[in-house]
Amino acid sequence: SPVTAIAVEGASDSPSTLLLAAWLTLYLNAPVHIVADPAGTGIRRVKLTRATGDIQLIRPGLTIAELTQPGQPPQRISLPRRSLKDCLAEELRRLDPDDVFGEVVQNA
Protein backbone atom coordinates (compact mmCIF):
# COMPACT_ATOMS: atom_id res chain seq x y z
CA SER A 1 0.00 0.00 0.00
CA PRO A 2 1.20 3.56 -0.61
CA VAL A 3 3.03 5.55 2.03
CA THR A 4 0.78 8.30 3.41
CA ALA A 5 3.18 9.94 5.87
CA ILE A 6 6.85 9.83 6.78
CA ALA A 7 8.70 10.68 9.99
CA VAL A 8 12.47 11.10 10.09
CA GLU A 9 14.10 11.50 13.49
CA GLY A 10 17.66 12.69 13.58
CA ALA A 11 20.21 15.07 15.01
CA SER A 12 19.52 18.76 14.67
CA ASP A 13 23.04 19.23 13.27
CA SER A 14 22.85 16.36 10.74
CA PRO A 15 22.56 17.23 7.05
CA SER A 16 21.85 13.53 6.49
CA THR A 17 18.55 13.88 8.35
CA LEU A 18 17.41 16.65 6.02
CA LEU A 19 18.69 14.91 2.88
CA LEU A 20 16.94 11.66 3.78
CA ALA A 21 13.69 13.53 4.47
CA ALA A 22 13.96 15.35 1.13
CA TRP A 23 14.73 12.13 -0.76
CA LEU A 24 11.81 10.27 0.83
CA THR A 25 9.45 13.16 0.03
CA LEU A 26 10.60 13.23 -3.57
CA TYR A 27 10.40 9.49 -4.23
CA LEU A 28 7.44 8.48 -2.08
CA ASN A 29 5.39 11.64 -2.68
CA ALA A 30 4.24 11.81 0.93
CA PRO A 31 4.53 14.52 3.58
CA VAL A 32 7.53 14.29 5.91
CA HIS A 33 7.71 15.30 9.55
CA ILE A 34 11.24 15.85 10.88
CA VAL A 35 11.80 15.19 14.58
CA ALA A 36 14.95 16.93 15.83
CA ASP A 37 17.15 15.00 18.25
CA PRO A 38 20.12 16.36 20.19
CA ALA A 39 23.19 17.28 18.15
CA GLY A 40 25.59 14.45 17.41
CA THR A 41 23.05 11.61 17.45
CA GLY A 42 22.78 11.03 13.68
CA ILE A 43 19.66 9.55 12.10
CA ARG A 44 17.82 7.50 14.71
CA ARG A 45 14.44 6.57 13.25
CA VAL A 46 12.49 6.47 10.00
CA LYS A 47 8.79 5.64 10.01
CA LEU A 48 6.72 5.05 6.89
CA THR A 49 2.99 5.19 7.59
CA ARG A 50 0.73 3.03 5.40
CA ALA A 51 -2.89 1.89 5.68
CA THR A 52 -1.66 -1.69 6.10
CA GLY A 53 0.68 -0.77 8.96
CA ASP A 54 3.84 1.15 9.67
CA ILE A 55 7.35 0.26 8.62
CA GLN A 56 10.01 1.52 11.05
CA LEU A 57 13.77 1.48 11.13
CA ILE A 58 15.05 2.46 14.57
CA ARG A 59 18.70 2.82 15.60
CA PRO A 60 18.70 3.40 19.38
CA GLY A 61 22.47 3.00 19.74
CA LEU A 62 25.50 3.41 17.52
CA THR A 63 25.70 0.04 15.76
CA ILE A 64 22.45 -1.95 15.64
CA ALA A 65 19.12 -1.00 14.07
CA GLU A 66 15.78 -2.79 14.22
CA LEU A 67 13.42 -3.03 11.25
CA THR A 68 9.75 -3.66 11.99
CA GLN A 69 7.13 -4.40 9.33
CA PRO A 70 3.53 -5.57 9.57
CA GLY A 71 3.25 -9.35 9.64
CA GLN A 72 7.01 -9.86 9.95
CA PRO A 73 9.19 -10.52 12.99
CA PRO A 74 11.48 -7.63 13.96
CA GLN A 75 14.86 -7.82 12.26
CA ARG A 76 18.11 -6.64 13.84
CA ILE A 77 20.52 -5.10 11.34
CA SER A 78 24.14 -4.07 11.70
CA LEU A 79 24.04 -0.36 10.88
CA PRO A 80 26.99 1.41 12.51
CA ARG A 81 27.41 5.15 12.23
CA ARG A 82 30.15 5.91 9.76
CA SER A 83 33.09 8.14 10.54
CA LEU A 84 33.79 11.30 8.59
CA LYS A 85 36.90 9.57 7.21
CA ASP A 86 34.80 6.69 5.83
CA CYS A 87 32.25 9.06 4.29
CA LEU A 88 34.95 11.14 2.58
CA ALA A 89 36.72 8.03 1.28
CA GLU A 90 33.48 6.81 -0.27
CA GLU A 91 32.82 10.16 -1.92
CA LEU A 92 36.33 10.31 -3.35
CA ARG A 93 36.03 6.80 -4.85
CA ARG A 94 33.23 8.06 -7.07
CA LEU A 95 33.93 11.37 -8.71
CA ASP A 96 31.21 11.04 -11.35
CA PRO A 97 28.07 13.19 -11.04
CA ASP A 98 25.56 12.04 -8.43
CA ASP A 99 22.28 12.56 -10.26
CA VAL A 100 20.06 11.46 -7.36
CA PHE A 101 21.80 13.82 -4.93
CA GLY A 102 21.48 16.67 -7.42
CA GLU A 103 17.77 16.01 -7.88
CA VAL A 104 17.14 15.88 -4.13
CA VAL A 105 19.06 19.10 -3.46
CA GLN A 106 17.25 20.92 -6.27
CA ASN A 107 13.84 19.85 -4.96
CA ALA A 108 14.52 20.33 -1.24
Side-chain angles (χ1 to χ4, degrees), residues 13-78:
D13 65 342
S14 172
S16 297
T17 301
L18 299 176
L19 283 171
L20 179 59
W23 181 77
L24 289 169
T25 298
L26 184 63
Y27 286 96
L28 296 178
N29 195 30
V32 173
H33 174 68
I34 298 174
V35 179
D37 278 348
T41 56
I43 297 173
R44 293 186 14 165
R45 180 173 72 100
V46 176
K47 178 181 174 183
L48 307 177
T49 302
R50 302 178 315 150
T52 56
D54 297 341
I55 298 171
Q56 286 196 88
L57 183 63
I58 302 169
R59 182 172 53 190
L62 298 177
T63 59
I64 303 294
E66 185 171 276
L67 176 65
T68 58
Q69 306 175 76
Q72 300 288 325
Q75 298 177 34
R76 292 175 51 96
I77 302 165
S78 176

Side-chain angles (χ1 to χ4, degrees), residues 91 94-103:
E91 288 300 319
R94 291 192 50 195
L95 295 176
D96 57 320
D98 188 337
D99 297 330
V100 173
F101 177 78
E103 188 176 352

